[in-house]
Amino acid sequence: GDSVTQMEGPVTLSEEAFLTINCTYTATGYPSLFWYVQYPGEGLQLLLKATKADDKGSNKGFEATYRKETTSFHLEKGSVQVSDSAVYFCAQGTPYTGRRALTFGSGTRLQVQP
Amino acid sequence: DVKVTQSSRYLVKRTGEKVFLECVQDMDHENMFWYRQDPGLGLRLIYFSYDVKMKEKGDIPEGYSVSREKKERFSLILESASTNQTSMYLCASSTKLLRGNQPQHFGDGTRLSIL
């Protein structure tokens, strides 16, 4: 079945470092792709999304580009802050199977040190 | 903004009890979902509902049931709680437009402990 693979964490960075969290997906066709963020003790919040190839989603300084040729949707941020410490989940939609639920990766914990 | 509200943030129950987790959304969404989240396993879909009184099993439905009597409310039921059901439970909702490609909106989660 469809799956989403994320790099394992934790990822530990110093403040103002560059962030990349890798994500690859397996759904056929053109699924929508999402990044969610989960801060400690909270539910998941939608961070950004992209709905077609070469789309770039962006929000709060984070960006991710929908790459059909490599089936990837890597999350990037140029300069992380301590407040970005959280767990990040990549997810894909699956429109062609009729499945209404998104498929999530296992999550990547980011720790940013001052 | 979409608001998904879960009735409890923390819940402690005993083995064998019948446990109800409640979820309400205020955006008239057709789809509602229950996930559990465990370290190293990410989010796993338990059940979802695409309409009132309609439900479908997710990836791990064993030991759970659901109820959707009203469009805005989706309940998860642990028929006879067991210690391996100790987990974080997340409720989500989404619109049915562009089925399978809509973002899901999550509640803050219920951390359930079964003693």
Side-chain angles (χ1 to χ4, degrees):
Chain A
D2 292 335
S3 64
V4 175
T5 302
Q6 292 181 232
M7 60 190 292
E8 288 198 22
V11 173
T12 303
L13 296 173
S14 298
E15 207 164 22
E16 299 184 2
F18 184 85
L19 168 71
T20 300
I21 300 178
N22 291 338
C23 171
T24 56
Y25 66 93
T26 62
T28 56
Y30 293 88
S32 289
L33 300 172
F34 308 88
W35 276 102
Y36 283 82
V37 59
Q38 185 180 34
Y39 298 105
E42 298 183 11
L44 276 68
Q45 300 175 24
L46 180 64
L47 181 60
L48 53 83
K49 68 177 183 179
T51 58
K52 60 184 186 293
D54 300 323
D55 261 4
K56 178 184 283 188
S58 62
N59 187 23
K60 299 181 181 179
F62 291 90
E63 293 183 340
T65 301
Y66 191 141
R67 300 288 188 200
K68 181 66 175 173
E69 64 276 14
T70 55
T71 62
S72 64
F73 192 54
H74 304 324
L75 183 68
E76 296 181 336
K77 186 175 186 182
S79 176
V80 294
Q81 306 300 312
V82 172
S83 58
D84 293 326
S85 298
V87 181
Y88 293 82
F89 291 90
C90 185
Q92 67 178 13
T94 50
Y96 297 104
T97 65
R99 177 180 167 99
R100 292 170 177 82
L102 302 181
T103 299
F104 287 86
S106 58
T108 302
R109 181 176 299 279
L110 170 65
Q111 298 173 336
V112 181
Q113 298 175 338
Chain B
D1 279 355
V2 176
K3 183 71 173 176
V4 178
T5 303
Q6 295 183 230
S7 54
S8 304
R9 292 297 300 274
Y10 302 94
L11 206 54
V12 180
K13 297 291 183 180
R14 297 207 173 274
T15 303
E17 280 192 69
K18 190 169 187 175
V19 181
F20 294 84
L21 302 184
E22 307 287 346
C23 176
V24 176
Q25 50 94 4
D26 66 357
M27 279 301 292
D28 203 36
H29 282 169
E30 293 81 7
N31 300 324
M32 296 188 75
F33 310 85
W34 276 106
Y35 293 89
R36 64 177 282 176
Q37 181 181 13
D38 300 288
L41 298 177
L43 273 70
R44 293 182 290 169
L45 181 66
I46 304 172
Y47 266 98
F48 75 94
S49 169
Y50 52 90
D51 203 348
V52 174
K53 296 190 186 295
M54 305 304 288
K55 62 185 179 184
E56 285 193 24
K57 293 180 180 179
D59 301 317
I60 52 164
E62 296 78 18
Y64 303 93
S65 62
V66 291
S67 172
R68 193 158 179 209
E69 297 296 318
K70 294 184 178 181
K71 190 175 186 179
E72 68 272 17
R73 186 179 297 271
F74 191 37
S75 302
L76 179 69
I77 304 157
L78 285 66
E79 297 290 345
S80 177
S82 64
T83 55
N84 62 12
Q85 293 179 308
T86 291
S87 186
M88 169 73 94
Y89 289 88
L90 293 168
C91 176
S93 71
S94 72
T95 178
K96 73 175 181 180
L97 295 176
L98 296 177
R99 181 175 70 178
N101 260 339
Q102 289 301 307
Q104 293 176 0
H105 303 269
F106 284 82
D108 284 338
T110 296
R111 187 165 293 282
L112 175 65
S113 296
I114 307 297
L115 304 180

